[in-house]
């Protein structure tokens, strides 16, 4: 492993001086932000813009699809290189200046053409940042403090998938939780966030690698950890012990999009070949009973948005559907072709949905039962990543670049 490369001690001290013990409402600490909902109430972000309106754009080494996570003025994201190096970067979230980076050397391994060696998003909590990297022999979880000092690392074992690794960890109640649903022995693991010591392991049936990141929901006053894989469908676990509480049942194809929760139901999709095939709506208060299903116009990779009694399905092929959660799930409130091909997930900012197409064009629509398309704006780089919203800004990650768009609040 390479030593930490500290680029600016002055910048570190300034950023640490701004760090508070409690994360602010503007923090984006995991994949798709607070609890994976993909929502922000940031106001003043443009709905259409040109390249020269970005506050800054920086070039990233290697390649990656990791979304940034942001706490106060610290921005973290991952990148990978063809020789197997995987790197966690820390940037100043306001200026884009690099603060530190640290690399781990793993082997090059087979990847799906839309994957990278750095597709999982870092998670932040308890004053640490956590990132997971894997090759075929090692599934490594690393913890750093905000100065860039590696605090601990744990090898969770092998990772078997011709598509490579890409799931993101989450932090909950002093634990960092990492799913490992793969083509070999599968499990969900919880480690002590401060020490890296093992807390619990929940063994899982296995079939194919899953790329869904877990969420936490509250059911009848008790928190549940919700995971998703094809072999088991949606599952509820006790986040303190890993004990299985319920399972919705096997899904027929691979799960890539993450679960979402709204109107008392959990939603999950599966699919293959760039197309979703099945959506289920599950009631966690009834032991994972399937309450609704849909089998057309579905995303495979992008995670849906649930908002004000509707679910917004941003499909890989650029078709977007709005579905009323109180009605027949097979019917659309509206179905429109935005255009483009999508491998990142949408996020909702102040009632509008932003999603980056693979060609780097960022489309914006209203999250409303009445369809409104605002247009598309250029990133200037290909992208399979999901936007991040924090620090009064939106961050758009391309294969090799990171762009910052500041909200304008007059």
């Amino acid at each position: 492993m390479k030593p930490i490369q500290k680029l600016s001690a002055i910048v570190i001290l300034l950023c640490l001086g701004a760090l508070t013990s409690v994360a602010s409402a503007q923090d984006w600490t995991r994949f798709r932000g607070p609890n994976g909902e993909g929502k922000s109430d940031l106001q003043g972000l443009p709905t259409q813009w040109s390249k020269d309106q970005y506050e800054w754009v920086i070039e990233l080494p290697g390649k990656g699809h990791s979304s940034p996570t942001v706490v106060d003025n610290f921005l973290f994201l991952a990148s990978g290189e063809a020789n197997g190096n995987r790197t966690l970067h820390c940037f100043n979230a306001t200026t884009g200046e690099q603060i530190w980076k640290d690399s781990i050397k793993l082997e090059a391994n087979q990847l799906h053409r839309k994957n990278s060696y750095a597709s999982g998003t870092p998670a932040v909590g308890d004053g640490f940042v956590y990132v997971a990297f894997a090759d075929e022999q090692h599934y490594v979880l690393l913890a750093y403090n905000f100065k860039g000092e590696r605090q601990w690392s744990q090898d969770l074992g092998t990772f078997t998938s011709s598509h490579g690794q890409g799931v993101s960890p989450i932090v909950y109640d002093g634990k960092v939780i990492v799913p490992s649903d793969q083509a070999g022995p599968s499990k969900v693991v919880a480690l002590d966030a401060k020490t890296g010591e093992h807390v619990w392991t929940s063994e899982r049936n296995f079939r194919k690698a899953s790329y869904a990141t877990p969420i936490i929901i509250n059911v009848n006053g008790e928190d549940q950890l919700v995971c998703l894989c094809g072999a088991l469908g949606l599952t509820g676990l006790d986040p303190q012990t890993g004990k299985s509480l319920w399972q919705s049942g096997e899904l027929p194809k691979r799960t890539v999009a993450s679960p979402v929760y709204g109107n008392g139901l959990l939603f999950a999709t599966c699919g293959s070949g760039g197309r979703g095939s099945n959506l289920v709506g599950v009631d966690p208060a009834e032991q994972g009973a399937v309450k609704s299903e849909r089998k057309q116009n579905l995303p495979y990779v992008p995670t849906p948005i649930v908002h004000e009694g509707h679910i917004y399905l941003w499909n890989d092929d650029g078709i977007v559907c709005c579905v009323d959660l109180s009605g027949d799930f097979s019917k659309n409130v509206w179905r429109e072709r935005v255009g483009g091909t999508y491998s990142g997930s949408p996020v909702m900012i102040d009632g509008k949905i932003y999603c980056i197409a693979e060609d780097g064009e960022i489309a914006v629509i209203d999250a409303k039962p009445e369809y409104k398309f605002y247009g598309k704006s250029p990133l200037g780089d290909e992208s399979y990543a999901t936007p991040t919203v924090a620090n009064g800004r939106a961050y758009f990650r391309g294969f090799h670049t990171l762009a910052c768009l500041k909200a304008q609040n007059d």
Side-chain angles (χ1 to χ4, degrees), residues 69-91:
T69 46
V70 178
V71 171
D72 292 300
N73 210 31
F74 294 87
L75 183 151
F76 306 99
L77 61 72
S79 69
E81 299 179 51
N83 63 5
N85 278 355
R86 280 81 158 169
T87 302
L88 177 66
H89 303 265
C90 177
F91 297 95

Side-chain angles (χ1 to χ4, degrees), residues 24-173:
S24 72
Q26 291 187 322
D27 291 341
W28 196 269
T29 60
R30 50 154 288 164
F31 176 63
R32 296 185 80 237
N35 204 29
E37 293 183 353
K39 296 182 179 181
S40 170
D41 59 5
L42 176 67
Q43 297 181 354
L45 197 73
T47 53
Q48 212 168 4
W49 61 92
S50 60
K51 286 184 184 180
D52 60 9
Q53 288 179 268
Y54 286 112
E55 188 174 21
W56 48 260
V57 179
I58 59 173
E59 185 174 348
L60 301 173
K63 180 181 178 180
H65 310 320
S66 155
S67 296
T69 46
V70 178
V71 171
D72 292 300
N73 210 31
F74 294 87
L75 183 151
F76 306 99
L77 61 72
S79 69
E81 299 179 51
N83 63 5
N85 278 355
R86 280 81 158 169
T87 302
L88 177 66
H89 303 265
C90 177
F91 297 95
N92 183 305
T94 300
T95 66
E97 181 180 358
Q98 185 149 39
I99 302 171
W100 55 263
K101 63 180 180 179
D102 187 44
S103 299
I104 181 173
K105 180 67 171 71
L106 296 176
E107 296 300 319
N109 57 270
Q110 186 174 349
L111 294 172
H112 187 274
R113 63 183 180 85
K114 291 190 176 183
N115 203 356
S116 72
Y117 291 137
S119 294
T121 294
V124 183
D126 298 317
F128 287 1
V129 55
Y130 308 90
V131 65
F133 296 120
D135 60 16
E136 294 178 354
Q137 299 302 316
H138 304 281
Y139 191 171
V140 181
L141 182 67
L142 299 149
Y144 297 84
N145 64 21
F146 284 18
K147 294 180 181 180
E149 298 164 339
R150 193 180 299 177
Q151 301 300 289
W152 53 261
S153 65
Q154 289 285 357
D155 192 335
L156 306 180
T158 60
F159 188 83
T160 304
S161 172
S162 60
H163 289 182
Q165 189 268 353
V167 75
S168 305
I170 68 169
V171 181
Y172 169 80
D173 193 25

Side-chain angles (χ1 to χ4, degrees), residues 54 56-58 379 394-398 401-405:
Y54 286 112
W56 48 260
V57 179
I58 59 173
L379 173 58
Y395 300 90
F396 303 104
R397 196 256 171 86
T401 59
L402 178 65
C404 172
L405 184 67

